[in-house]
């Protein structure tokens, strides 16, 4: 139950796919949430920064849990405003 390599074509196909994926990743600018980003006003701009700000607010009891969850959903939920910023 093995894969027959027809003259190495499967290996070449996998290598080409890996190279295409890597090139696409590099040209796309990478992950917009790779690090927390803040706007000019100092407010969180991307999901990574928003999540951390909400965790900090929860621990400091600055906002009630319902408000924190609403912020996470509004900004970083499935249709969130801050994806890709």
């Amino acid at each position: 139950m093995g894969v027959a390599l027809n003259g190495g074509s499967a290996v070449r196909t996998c290598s080409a796919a890996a190279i295409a994926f890597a090139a696409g990743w590099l040209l796309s600018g990478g992950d917009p949430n790779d690090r927390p980003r803040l706007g000019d006003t100092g407010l969180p701009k991307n999901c990574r920064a928003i999540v951390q700000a909400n965790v900090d607010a929860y621990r400091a009891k600055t906002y009630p849990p319902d408000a924190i969850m609403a912020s996470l959903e509004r900004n970083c939920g499935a249709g969130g405003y801050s994806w890709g910023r």
Side-chain angles (χ1 to χ4, degrees):
M1 185 118 173
V3 175
L5 297 178
N6 186 5
S9 64
V11 173
R12 282 194 300 271
T13 301
C14 287
S15 295
I19 290 170
F21 176 78
W25 177 263
L26 291 173
L27 294 175
S28 72
D31 181 5
N33 288 298
D34 63 345
R35 63 183 176 86
R37 297 180 198 281
L38 302 176
D40 295 335
T41 61
L43 294 174
K45 188 174 179 180
N46 66 355
C47 284
R48 189 173 206 158
I50 290 168
V51 168
Q52 187 59 56
N54 278 290
V55 168
D56 294 345
Y58 174 78
R59 288 185 177 153
K61 298 183 181 356
T62 305
Y63 298 105
D66 287 342
I68 290 170
M69 294 305 290
S71 169
L72 289 171
E73 182 179 32
R74 179 179 59 251
N75 292 297
C76 299
Y81 175 76
S82 295
W83 281 112
R85 293 189 170 258

